[in-house]
Amino acid sequence: MADEIRALVFDVFGTVVDWRASIARQVETLARVRGLTVDGTAIADAWRGLYQPSMSAVRDGTRPFVDLDVLHRESLDALVEQHGLGSLDDADRHALVLAWHQLDAWPDVVEGLTRLKRKFILGPLSNGHVALQVGIAKHAGLPWDVILSTDLYRTYKPRPEAYQGACKLLKLAPSQVMLVAAHNNDLGSAREQGMRTGFVVRNEHGQGQVIDQKAEQDWDVIADDFVDLAKRLGA
Amino acid sequence: MADEIRALVFDVFGTVVDWRASIARQVETLARVRGLTVDGTAIADAWRGLYQPSMSAVRDGTRPFVDLDVLHRESLDALVEQHGLGSLDDADRHALVLAWHQLDAWPDVVEGLTRLKRKFILGPLSNGHVALQVGIAKHAGLPWDVILSTDLYRTYKPRPEAYQGACKLLKLAPSQVMLVAAHNNDLGSAREQGMRTGFVVRNEHGQGQVIDQKAEQDWDVIADDFVDLAKRLGA
């Protein structure tokens, strides 16, 4: 199988980057400057909690495509009062939206990607738009070959067009492309489109994590982290 | 100016890669295997000569978008008889189309891009589609941050949408993005869209080159090569 695969495309939030600790830290830093005391981790969890529902209307076509900065801002505006950030002005809220462009990678990511890059085409296949992914890559030193965000197809995962669009842009058959994700549902959607699947265990939600603690299907590869993934794929 | 610029986007054929020597060599290699004696450089020149006209119908909207592999194949089919390659079968012709995915960079490119990458977002803005640019980047070791080919906008330079599309994907104002090209007309089109412009002198057509031997407007930067460009932009 590894010989047929030409490209690895990656889910990013949770799989490549630790959004929770990164957002918590950036929120607390800004709050401190503004003289506010907040629970950054609770805010990160609440913000991320609005992520999936925020995309629904775009996915089902009842809302024209808007990118994740727009959705992140709407979600932030919805939670600030409850979390002690209601006094933040427009510029501060914009700065927090941009915090999602500056997320830290899990410790194994750069080493794993650097090894995988010798053998495969690498790119994020994320609901975070192209500019956001470029920002994360510059911040975290991710050696992507190409950015394949779903804004290129003006939709969001798990819509089939998102997976199909990435394969088409690479001019590869789905069986030549593996999605790597820490989320069983994302992998299930990729498999439905004929793609290969690689599961990596992450603990993105912290101690209270109840989902995605193990592989729920016989994914093509199941790895402990990106270095282990490289090993298993012969890279 | 260099402080305002956030991204450098690059013309590729002629500016980043030496298409002429690369295509000539690959054509001659395949011809030799097939027992044919051909003039690879003449074929490269003839093939490239059909490049601009081949895009006209897509640019003016009379033909639905097709990518450069399709156009390269049509142009190749039009010239094989005259150049002693008429006996090549479909698979061989396809292999030659893919030669455009494996072009060598000019000698200064990797060093220059590596320096520029520390300060700027870097990506090709080429009429060669995403998969083609990924191929060239893997072949030549180009450290792009993002691929911004015009197939993403389903058009070809110099249509305004090609330049505008790249800036929009990066979520940058045109004044924050510099096009780097060895072609005065490409830079003129970018300037019309409000982008910054960087001219690099190349000799892509060999000794007989008559165009683009010097800057024809007061481009924002005029450089000898990519290392010189990095120096002039403080990178």
Side-chain angles (χ1 to χ4, degrees):
Chain A
M1 178 200 62
D3 289 340
E4 196 199 345
I5 295 171
R6 299 280 311 283
L8 303 183
V9 298
F10 294 76
D11 173 67
V12 172
F13 300 122
T15 302
V16 174
V17 298
D18 179 3
W19 55 266
R20 191 171 189 249
S22 304
I23 292 296
R25 190 189 65 248
Q26 293 185 72
V27 165
E28 290 184 0
T29 299
L30 179 67
R32 198 174 309 119
V33 172
R34 297 290 173 249
L36 305 170
T37 304
V38 300
D39 181 342
T41 303
I43 292 168
D45 285 342
W47 204 350
R48 184 68 177 174
L50 296 173
Y51 171 70
Q52 289 296 344
S54 75
M55 294 180 283
S56 297
V58 173
R59 284 182 181 131
D60 68 22
T62 55
R63 180 179 186 181
F65 180 80
V66 291
D67 73 26
L68 202 55
D69 286 351
V70 173
L71 298 179
H72 273 150
R73 176 58 189 267
E74 292 173 359
S75 299
L76 178 65
D77 288 342
L79 64 79
V80 283
E81 290 297 344
Q82 194 184 341
H83 287 273
L85 292 172
S87 60
L88 293 187
D89 65 11
D90 182 69
D92 281 348
R93 295 179 191 201
H94 182 62
L96 287 183
V97 166
L98 294 183
W100 290 91
H101 299 210
Q102 304 281 314
L103 304 176
D104 300 337
W106 299 108
D108 51 281
V109 164
V110 171
E111 182 186 343
L113 292 181
T114 301
R115 285 179 58 168
L116 289 161
K117 189 179 168 91
R118 297 194 297 244
K119 187 165 175 180
F120 303 104
I121 297 164
L122 304 183
L125 175 52
S126 169
N127 286 332
H129 54 76
V130 169
L132 183 156
Q133 292 303 333
V134 170
I136 289 177
K138 292 297 247 191
H139 171 76
L142 309 181
W144 300 130
D145 292 305
V146 59
I147 307 286
L148 297 166
S149 295
T150 58
D151 59 321
L152 295 173
Y153 331 113
R154 300 187 74 74
T155 189
Y156 286 108
K157 292 190 290 181
R159 292 285 304 169
E161 308 90 279
Y163 307 94
Q164 293 165 358
C167 298
K168 276 184 202 161
L169 274 181
L170 295 173
K171 300 189 83 161
L172 294 174
S175 61
Q176 296 176 297
V177 183
M178 172 177 280
L179 178 72
V180 178
H183 306 132
N184 286 282
N185 57 1
D186 199 4
L187 294 175
S189 302
R191 177 173 272 185
E192 279 174 26
Q193 301 308 315
M195 293 170 70
R196 301 293 185 165
T197 50
F199 181 77
V200 178
V201 188
R202 296 294 189 195
N203 191 34
E204 64 182 300
H205 298 286
Q207 296 205 323
Q209 179 159 336
V210 290
I211 58 164
D212 293 323
Q213 292 187 303
K214 58 175 180 52
E216 290 165 12
Q217 289 190 44
D218 60 332
W219 308 123
D220 295 307
V221 178
I222 297 170
D224 296 330
D225 59 29
F226 283 15
V227 176
D228 185 41
L229 180 70
K231 220 174 294 173
R232 289 172 189 271
L233 290 173
Chain B
M1 177 199 62
D3 289 340
E4 197 199 346
I5 295 170
R6 299 278 312 283
L8 303 184
V9 298
F10 293 77
D11 173 67
V12 171
F13 300 123
T15 302
V16 173
V17 298
D18 179 3
W19 55 267
R20 192 172 189 246
S22 304
I23 292 296
R25 189 188 66 247
Q26 293 185 73
V27 166
E28 289 184 1
T29 299
L30 179 67
R32 199 174 306 119
V33 172
R34 297 291 173 248
L36 305 170
T37 304
V38 300
D39 181 343
T41 303
I43 291 167
D45 285 341
W47 204 348
R48 184 69 178 173
L50 296 172
Y51 171 69
Q52 289 295 344
S54 75
M55 293 181 283
S56 297
V58 173
R59 284 182 181 131
D60 68 21
T62 56
R63 181 178 185 181
F65 181 80
V66 291
D67 74 25
L68 202 55
D69 286 351
V70 173
L71 298 178
H72 273 150
R73 176 57 188 269
E74 292 173 0
S75 298
L76 178 65
D77 288 343
L79 64 78
V80 283
E81 290 296 343
Q82 194 183 341
H83 287 273
L85 292 172
S87 61
L88 292 187
D89 66 11
D90 181 70
D92 280 349
R93 294 179 192 201
H94 182 63
L96 287 183
V97 165
L98 294 183
W100 290 91
H101 299 208
Q102 305 280 314
L103 305 176
D104 300 337
W106 298 109
D108 52 282
V109 163
V110 172
E111 182 187 344
L113 292 181
T114 301
R115 286 180 56 168
L116 288 161
K117 188 179 169 93
R118 297 195 297 244
K119 186 165 176 179
F120 303 105
I121 297 164
L122 305 183
L125 174 52
S126 169
N127 286 332
H129 53 76
V130 169
L132 182 155
Q133 291 302 334
V134 169
I136 289 177
K138 292 297 246 191
H139 171 77
L142 309 182
W144 300 131
D145 292 304
V146 59
I147 307 287
L148 297 164
S149 295
T150 58
D151 58 323
L152 294 173
Y153 331 112
R154 301 187 73 76
T155 189
Y156 285 108
K157 292 190 290 182
R159 292 285 303 170
E161 308 90 278
Y163 306 94
Q164 293 165 358
C167 298
K168 278 184 202 159
L169 275 180
L170 295 173
K171 301 190 80 162
L172 296 174
S175 61
Q176 297 176 296
V177 183
M178 174 177 279
L179 178 72
V180 178
H183 307 131
N184 286 282
N185 57 2
D186 200 3
L187 294 175
S189 301
R191 177 173 273 185
E192 280 173 25
Q193 301 308 315
M195 293 171 70
R196 302 291 184 166
T197 50
F199 181 76
V200 177
V201 187
R202 297 293 190 197
N203 191 33
E204 65 182 299
H205 298 286
Q207 297 207 321
Q209 179 159 338
V210 289
I211 58 163
D212 292 323
Q213 291 185 304
K214 59 176 180 52
E216 291 164 11
Q217 289 188 45
D218 59 332
W219 308 122
D220 295 307
V221 179
I222 298 170
D224 296 331
D225 59 29
F226 282 15
V227 176
D228 185 40
L229 180 69
K231 218 173 298 172
R232 290 172 188 271
L233 290 172

